[in-house]
Amino acid sequence: MDIVQLDIRLIDEDIEQPRFQFDETALQELMNSIAELGLLSPIKVRPIDGGRYKIIYGNRRYKAAMRLGKATIPSIISEAIGDLDIYLEQIAENLTREGFSPIEEAEAFHKLMNDSKFRSSIKFLSSKLGKPESYIKNKCELLKFSSAVKKLIVSGTEIRKNALTEEQLLPLKDLPVEHRNPLALIAARDELPVSDVKKIAKLFKDSSISDNIKEKLLLKDGSGLIETWSTRELNKKERARAAAEAAKKAEMELEKQQQEASVAESQTKAIAATRSEVEVGAQDRVEVQAGVKAQAEGEIEKFVEDGVSTNSVMNTASYSASSIAIDSNNASAAAVTQLNTVSSGVFPALIEHLLETTKPLPYTDFALKQMIDDYRNSNVGSDKQLNERIEKAIQQMKQQLERWTALKTYWNE
């Protein structure tokens, strides 16, 4: 692009250009530099009607040259003719220059998106200017503040008295306007760091604090607001700690109750099982007793039916050989008339049987008599030992019969 010397009187400022804030001290420094070294960077202009030119960028250099009384100024004549292209070029140039304030950027972005001449989207601006969409959005958020606050917005991150950086303002942007602007002015006046502004913003976003209390808080200075925030946070932590302890205690109590309930349930089950066992055992005992009773009654009845009565046994239980009589029905027992002469070998075994059981004799009358005859023919004389055992068996049978008779009487009561 060619640089030409244009008559400074033919050049007009662009009152709609993005940059509208000029620091007087910085302008004086620029004048001193031009006076000593000359203008190192040309301005850029576009032709307009009447042979005149309008500045695209370089307003500060133009102002400094005018004050120095320069007749001409090195310039680049742009071929851009569309308003959008020219405005984008102005913004792009100023973004590279020191002193282009955040509020100037915000105004420029807002104009591009809302002015009927442009109606650009954030996505379009991002691609044209090489800036992230979030960068453009954050700059536009600054326009929410009042004019008094906007005048204090400066570039950079340095915290200065009666000045506001973008980082100081962004934490306050979502607060109601009645809180947003006063807090911004407090932050500027008291040189509050960004961290403190964030704490104060959090305090005013707390819905548990009434609007009336918040209005009173606005009467405090920055340190007073931070003290209020610290006290409230301390109280919140204490309440949270107490709540956590209560929750833990409740959880432990619940666990204890569950354990007790589990133990109680186990005990209930054990009691139920024991009761069931007792009931089953009692039923079993009843059944056993009933069975024993039935069996005993059956044996006694059979014993009586087989012809062995109490009186006959009692009357025949003597020491003579002819004193025992056993009924012939079903061969349970037979009359034994000569106890001194019994069959050898078989009859002694029968006596052992009588010592061990109360069951009827497993022989017919005829068989018993044959045993006695066989014993008499093969053995001469008496067998005192065998005779004593027979007597003992008779006594035992007598005792057993007495016991069974008494038991039957008791059961039938």
Side-chain angles (χ1 to χ4, degrees):
M1 293 181 292
D2 295 333
I3 299 175
V4 297
Q5 293 288 336
L6 292 178
D7 188 338
I8 201 168
R9 293 173 299 178
L10 298 177
I11 298 174
D12 299 325
E13 289 187 70
D14 186 355
I15 59 176
E16 294 183 356
Q17 63 106 24
R19 191 166 189 176
F20 53 83
Q21 293 181 346
F22 298 97
D23 182 75
E24 192 63 31
T25 302
L27 186 58
Q28 185 61 49
E29 290 176 354
L30 179 59
M31 290 173 60
N32 294 337
S33 175
I34 293 173
E36 182 178 354
L37 303 173
L39 189 60
L40 301 179
S41 299
I43 65 172
K44 194 167 188 177
V45 298
R46 60 187 176 92
I48 57 175
D49 296 339
R52 300 188 64 81
Y53 300 90
K54 184 172 286 190
I55 297 175
I56 294 178
Y57 58 78
N59 273 30
R60 282 200 324 130
R61 282 165 281 172
Y62 170 79
K63 287 178 179 294
M66 286 286 290
R67 290 187 181 186
L68 289 171
K70 297 289 184 178
T72 61
I73 185 170
S75 306
I76 297 173
I77 301 174
S78 174
E79 296 178 356
I81 55 174
D83 290 337
L84 178 59
D85 291 336
I86 292 171
Y87 202 71
L88 286 173
E89 191 173 356
Q90 290 175 326
I91 295 175
E93 173 65 18
N94 281 295
L95 285 174
T96 64
R97 297 288 180 177
E98 183 181 352
F100 192 41
S101 73
I103 199 65
E104 288 176 325
E105 287 185 64
E107 294 283 6
F109 295 146
H110 183 268
K111 184 175 181 178
L112 283 169
M113 289 187 291
N114 296 280
D115 194 302
S116 58
K117 294 189 300 183
F118 307 125
R119 292 292 182 184
S120 302
S121 66
I122 291 182
K123 186 174 183 180
F124 173 78
L125 295 180
S126 175
S127 64
K128 285 292 184 180
L129 300 173
K131 295 291 185 181
E133 292 184 26
S134 59
Y135 178 91
I136 298 172
K137 288 179 180 179
N138 285 338
K139 288 294 187 292
C140 291
E141 293 284 2
L142 300 177
L143 300 178
K144 290 182 176 180
F145 293 90
S146 66
S147 298
V149 175
K150 290 177 184 177
K151 291 178 181 179
L152 302 178
I153 299 175
V154 296
S155 300
T157 59
E158 182 184 356
I159 305 299
R160 291 176 284 173
K161 189 174 182 63
N162 295 326
L164 290 166
T165 66
E166 181 180 352
E167 287 77 11
Q168 282 177 294
L169 288 174
L170 287 179
L172 305 174
K173 65 184 176 63
D174 294 325
L175 294 176
V177 64
E178 61 270 21
H179 300 150
R180 181 170 62 220
N181 293 317
L183 289 175
L185 294 175
I186 291 173
R189 182 193 66 202
D190 296 340
E191 302 178 68
L192 295 179
V194 176
S195 59
D196 284 356
V197 177
K198 289 180 178 179
K199 293 174 183 178
I200 294 171
K202 185 177 179 181
L203 181 67
F204 276 80
K205 288 178 181 178
D206 193 336
S207 59
S208 65
I209 303 176
S210 67
D211 289 340
N212 185 42
I213 296 297
K214 290 176 182 177
E215 290 297 327
K216 293 179 180 179
L217 289 176
L218 290 174
L219 301 177
K220 294 187 176 186
D221 59 9
S223 60
L225 290 172
I226 292 300
E227 183 179 355
T228 301
W229 175 86
S230 299
T231 301
R232 188 168 181 82
E233 287 296 307
L234 183 62
N235 292 338
K236 286 172 65 176
K237 289 180 180 179
E238 182 61 27
R239 288 194 297 270
R241 184 190 63 78
E245 290 181 354
K248 184 177 181 180
K249 184 177 179 181
E251 183 180 357
M252 293 175 63
E253 183 65 24
L254 178 60
E255 184 177 353
K256 180 181 178 182
Q257 292 176 358
Q258 290 175 341
Q259 291 176 349
E260 291 175 349
S262 178
V263 171
E265 183 180 1
S266 299
Q267 291 176 344
T268 301
K269 289 181 178 179
I271 291 172
T274 302
R275 183 181 293 114
S276 177
E277 291 176 0
V278 170
E279 291 174 353
V280 171
Q283 183 64 31
D284 289 345
R285 285 194 296 274
V286 170
E287 292 177 357
V288 169
Q289 290 173 356
V292 171
K293 179 179 178 181
Q295 181 180 358
E297 288 179 344
E299 291 182 359
I300 293 171
E301 291 295 336
K302 192 171 189 309
F303 191 68
V304 173
E305 289 174 0
D306 286 343
V308 183
S309 65
T310 303
N311 292 330
S312 65
V313 174
M314 299 291 285
N315 292 331
T316 58
S318 65
Y319 293 95
S320 64
S322 60
S323 61
I324 296 180
I326 301 178
D327 188 75
S328 61
N329 292 331
N330 259 342
S332 63
V336 181
T337 59
Q338 296 181 350
L339 293 177
N340 293 328
T341 56
V342 293
S343 177
S344 175
V346 177
F347 195 70
L350 176 62
I351 301 304
E352 293 297 327
H353 171 76
L354 291 174
L355 291 172
E356 296 173 358
T357 180
T358 60
K359 292 182 180 180
L361 296 173
Y363 301 100
T364 64
D365 288 350
F366 176 81
L368 289 170
K369 290 177 180 180
Q370 185 66 44
M371 291 180 196
I372 293 172
D373 290 337
D374 291 341
Y375 186 82
R376 182 186 293 119
N377 294 330
S378 60
N379 295 280
V380 180
S382 63
D383 187 344
K384 183 179 180 180
Q385 184 178 7
L386 180 59
N387 199 46
E388 288 176 353
R389 290 177 64 80
I390 294 173
E391 185 177 354
K392 182 177 179 182
I394 292 171
Q395 293 298 323
Q396 190 167 342
M397 288 176 63
K398 179 180 177 181
Q399 293 173 0
Q400 289 291 345
L401 183 59
E402 288 175 346
R403 291 178 64 193
W404 280 109
T405 302
L407 182 59
K408 181 178 181 181
T409 302
Y410 176 78
W411 281 345
N412 290 331
E413 286 180 351

